[in-house]
Amino acid sequence: MSKILVAGASGALGYELVKLLHDEEREFCGQIRNPVKHAALEPYCQDIRVADVTDPSTLRRLCEGVDTIISTVGNSVSLFTNDTGGFMDIDYQGNLNLLQEAKNAGVKRFVYISIFASETSPRMRQGWAQELFSRRLMESGLSYTIVKPVGLFSGLHDLLILGRKGIVPTLGSGKAVTNPIHQRDLARVILPVVDTGPEVMEVGGPEVHSRREVSEWVMDITGGRDIRVPPWLARRGAHLWRPLKRSIFDKFRFYTYITTHDMVAPKHGSLLLRPYLEQAYLQMTSR
């Protein structure tokens, strides 16, 4: 049985993968960028390796003894994170650095977590960066599976933060539909394809919701008031950020794209969105 490296082990999805691999008694190690995250993983992972995928010099020996990589590496889509890089820096170049190190170390298989519909448009920003990397992975000669979830429940935390501040924005009509998946359910989908699987898997959660429906839930949970934002205004606002901070521009463009297009993939899992949002908000307000 192969030894697995979970790259991005301290993220929402990486953490769930680490816990499942621990429960299944698989041989694995975890990569993190920030040593502060070490303590949270210690109960589940005995082999934690610190490296920054954007700095190739830190990746030497990262893949030692590893047969398979699961890469959850990607820049946060949250507007409330203090970014050290953008989508092209992390989702594309960071994963490309990791892929090169994997090839140098003789890794045989690479499981990459992208996003549904990444191939559709450069306006998708993060998705497009992930699509460009996926093409390099396909050409790499390694065995691979590219898993393309619609989105994670954890990616909706910004709506809760905004709701707590008193506003809940909806772009356009809110009629676009989506079926995001809980990160634990996605981890359960990924594990069966660690050793072998299809080249591409599209993954959605068990329920389809309109963007408007999700906004109404957030208003109900947080008490925030409804703010309707025309897509043209959001796009114009994004361009104001372009010369100031490219990562914010990218995130606004990404958010505008995915919330105004239908994003529905084959259904998986059982965990539901509204109870997740209620629990996440309770945890947020109890800190």
Side-chain angles (χ1 to χ4, degrees):
M1 190 173 289
S2 62
K3 181 167 184 176
I4 301 159
L5 168 67
V6 179
S10 61
L13 176 58
Y15 188 64
E16 295 294 345
L17 282 165
V18 163
K19 290 194 290 185
L20 284 179
L21 289 167
H22 172 267
D23 291 346
E24 294 196 0
E25 299 183 343
R26 294 292 300 264
E27 186 180 6
F28 73 99
C29 54
Q31 174 269 332
I32 59 175
R33 181 183 62 84
N34 188 347
V36 172
K37 305 290 182 69
H38 199 288
L41 292 173
E42 284 179 351
Y44 309 103
C45 184
Q46 303 304 309
D47 184 356
I48 302 171
R49 306 179 182 187
V50 179
D52 182 350
V53 296
T54 65
D55 181 357
S57 68
T58 71
L59 300 181
R60 294 174 193 142
R61 303 187 69 181
L62 173 66
C63 300
E64 193 172 74
V66 170
D67 303 294
T68 300
I69 290 176
I70 308 174
S71 178
T72 71
V73 169
N75 194 31
S76 170
V77 297
S78 174
L79 294 170
F80 298 100
T81 55
N82 186 18
D83 295 323
T84 56
F87 294 142
M88 286 300 294
D89 298 314
I90 299 172
D91 296 73
Y92 174 70
Q93 189 60 53
N95 276 294
L96 192 60
N97 294 339
L98 182 61
L99 176 61
Q100 185 58 57
E101 183 62 27
K103 292 174 68 176
N104 293 342
V107 171
K108 298 178 177 63
R109 182 162 168 77
F110 200 111
V111 179
Y112 177 55
I113 317 306
S114 178
I115 190 171
F116 178 75
S118 61
E119 72 283 357
T120 55
S121 172
R123 290 179 295 155
M124 201 175 178
R125 312 310 291 178
Q126 184 186 45
W128 192 247
Q130 293 175 344
E131 176 64 20
L132 294 177
F133 170 73
S134 295
R135 295 176 186 180
R136 298 292 295 270
L137 176 59
M138 292 175 184
E139 299 166 353
S140 68
L142 272 62
S143 168
Y144 67 87
T145 292
I146 299 168
V147 182
K148 304 180 77 170
V150 166
L152 300 181
F153 285 6
S154 59
L156 295 168
H157 284 194
D158 273 16
L159 278 179
L160 295 174
I161 295 171
L162 290 169
R164 190 178 184 186
K165 294 177 181 292
I167 59 171
V168 181
T170 303
L171 265 65
S173 67
K175 291 181 180 179
V177 293
T178 185
N179 63 328
I181 187 168
H182 193 294
Q183 43 275 13
R184 188 175 308 142
D185 276 341
L186 181 57
R188 290 172 179 148
V189 171
I190 293 168
L191 251 59
V193 303
V194 167
D195 297 311
T196 185
E199 292 183 348
V200 178
M201 287 182 64
E202 296 180 336
V203 182
E207 294 183 313
V208 177
H209 312 286
S210 71
R211 295 289 179 176
R212 181 63 190 163
E213 183 180 14
V214 175
S215 292
E216 288 173 350
W217 288 348
V218 172
M219 283 186 276
D220 187 39
I221 292 167
T222 66
R225 64 187 181 90
D226 185 23
I227 299 292
R228 301 291 185 99
V229 182
W232 67 264
L233 182 60
R235 287 191 290 268
R236 184 170 294 179
H239 276 283
L240 294 176
W241 280 98
R242 191 168 194 166
L244 301 174
K245 191 169 185 181
R246 184 58 180 258
S247 64
I248 298 294
F249 164 75
D250 280 347
K251 290 178 182 184
F252 269 121
R253 290 287 281 176
F254 171 76
Y255 180 74
T256 302
Y257 186 90
I258 65 168
T259 55
T260 55
H261 290 76
D262 290 345
M263 303 279 285
V264 179
K267 295 180 179 180
H268 293 266
S270 60
L271 298 172
L272 305 181
L273 180 56
R274 170 138 191 175
Y276 173 86
L277 292 173
E278 291 171 345
Q279 182 63 29
Y281 189 67
L282 181 63
Q283 293 174 348
M284 187 182 296
T285 54
S286 65
R287 291 171 188 162

